[in-house]
Amino acid sequence: MHGPRVTLDRGSPVPLYFQVARQLEDAIRAGELPPGTRLENELELAARYRLSRPTIRQAIQHLVDQGLLVRKRGVGTQVVQSQVRRPIELSSLYDDLAEAGREPRTRVLELGAVPAEGEAAERLGVRAGAEVVRLRRLRLTGGEPLALMTNVLPAGLLEVTAAHLEEHGLYETLRAAGVNIRIAHQEIGARAATAAEARLLDERRGTPLLTMTRTAFDDQGAAVEFGTHAYRADRYSFSHTLVGK
């Protein structure tokens, strides 16, 4: 793959590496360099732009740090899938991805009745050991894993199959069953990926993951869902608007 056209102003106070990085970023965001595109190696880019190899390396590293490029051994430097920026609203990841045209895909890893334990029992307001329904799903977009989601629901709230959940979001399914989700308490954090999570999310063990824990309540004030989700930090972020008083 040839590098895109880059115009350099060698008399500018803006560092040359940053000029290259900014124009490569513009090409990526404009779709000129779509996800999966493999860039030329550092020597070829240095020759193309008539710059030193350290300058090119610094420009590439800047874009790697931004999550726009990734270095893969044996493959080279590639453009990655654009990051999903999710507004903090009372909606499901499936709904948000579908609305944004990101074509979500789901693998159901677990679906069945289990005894309520620890935090899930407390959040749902049921006694420890009471029967609840637990589902674990891997959400993908662009053919790559994005999130690992575990949800616990009160027993008897919903009758659903794995095949249905592979084609529909959980909140969409709950709404269709007459459950009116009215309010939720949500916490956002970060932690290192476990070995099992890293394997499913195509990451390395210990890689930082974004996390979200949510308890949703219906219009009667009853807890109807407790979710714990882990997201690839290089492909996902939360966004919200703050308004002053």
Side-chain angles (χ1 to χ4, degrees), residues 91 110 144 176-177 183 194:
S91 59
E110 177 188 349
E144 292 188 18
I183 194 171
T194 66

Side-chain angles (χ1 to χ4, degrees), residues 114-173:
V114 298
E117 299 177 346
E119 187 178 11
E122 180 181 346
R123 295 291 187 98
L124 292 177
V126 302
R127 62 176 177 80
E131 184 177 286
V132 292
V133 174
R134 183 170 65 201
L135 55 141
R136 295 180 67 242
R137 295 163 295 159
L138 181 66
R139 180 64 40 77
L140 304 96
T141 180
E144 292 188 18
L146 174 66
L148 183 61
M149 305 177 295
T150 301
N151 299 83
V152 183
L153 313 175
L157 181 70
L158 187 66
E159 294 290 335
V160 68
T161 64
H164 177 90
L165 289 172
E166 288 179 351
E167 300 294 334
H168 301 275
L170 178 60
Y171 279 19
E172 173 194 355
T173 302

Side-chain angles (χ1 to χ4, degrees), residues 26-243:
D26 290 344
I28 291 170
R29 297 196 185 280
E32 183 183 343
L33 296 175
T37 299
R38 187 168 62 183
L39 298 185
E40 293 173 303
N41 63 40
E42 291 176 359
L43 285 174
E44 292 169 329
L45 288 174
R48 172 179 295 277
Y49 301 141
R50 298 181 181 178
L51 292 169
S52 68
R53 187 174 180 181
T55 298
I56 292 296
R57 183 181 298 118
Q58 192 173 6
I60 296 299
Q61 186 60 49
H62 180 79
L63 296 176
V64 169
D65 292 342
Q66 285 190 289
L68 296 173
L69 296 177
V70 63
R71 290 189 175 102
K72 294 184 178 180
R73 182 173 297 178
V75 176
T77 303
Q78 285 184 297
V79 178
V80 300
Q81 294 284 340
S82 58
Q83 190 179 62
V84 174
R85 296 184 182 274
R86 183 181 180 187
I88 299 180
E89 297 175 350
L90 188 47
S91 59
S92 73
L93 176 58
Y94 188 97
D95 293 339
D96 293 338
L97 291 173
E99 185 176 341
R102 301 299 291 266
E103 298 183 356
R105 189 163 61 86
T106 304
R107 282 175 48 199
V108 177
L109 307 174
E110 177 188 349
L111 173 60
V114 298
E117 299 177 346
E119 187 178 11
E122 180 181 346
R123 295 291 187 98
L124 292 177
V126 302
R127 62 176 177 80
E131 184 177 286
V132 292
V133 174
R134 183 170 65 201
L135 55 141
R136 295 180 67 242
R137 295 163 295 159
L138 181 66
R139 180 64 40 77
L140 304 96
T141 180
E144 292 188 18
L146 174 66
L148 183 61
M149 305 177 295
T150 301
N151 299 83
V152 183
L153 313 175
L157 181 70
L158 187 66
E159 294 290 335
V160 68
T161 64
H164 177 90
L165 289 172
E166 288 179 351
E167 300 294 334
H168 301 275
L170 178 60
Y171 279 19
E172 173 194 355
T173 302
L174 286 168
R175 290 192 296 267
V179 178
N180 182 20
I181 298 176
R182 187 67 177 173
I183 194 171
H185 175 70
Q186 180 168 285
E187 299 172 5
I188 296 170
R191 59 173 173 76
T194 66
E197 289 170 335
R199 184 169 59 254
L200 288 166
L201 292 170
D202 194 22
E203 290 280 17
R204 293 182 179 179
R205 180 177 182 176
T207 296
L209 301 177
L210 285 174
T211 62
M212 186 268 282
T213 300
R214 175 188 285 182
T215 307
F217 302 85
D218 66 12
D219 48 8
Q220 303 299 312
V224 295
E225 176 249 349
F226 171 61
T228 55
H229 302 172
Y231 307 86
R232 283 179 53 173
D234 63 339
R235 297 198 57 210
Y236 192 87
S237 67
F238 292 99
S239 66
H240 61 281
T241 300
L242 302 177
V243 180

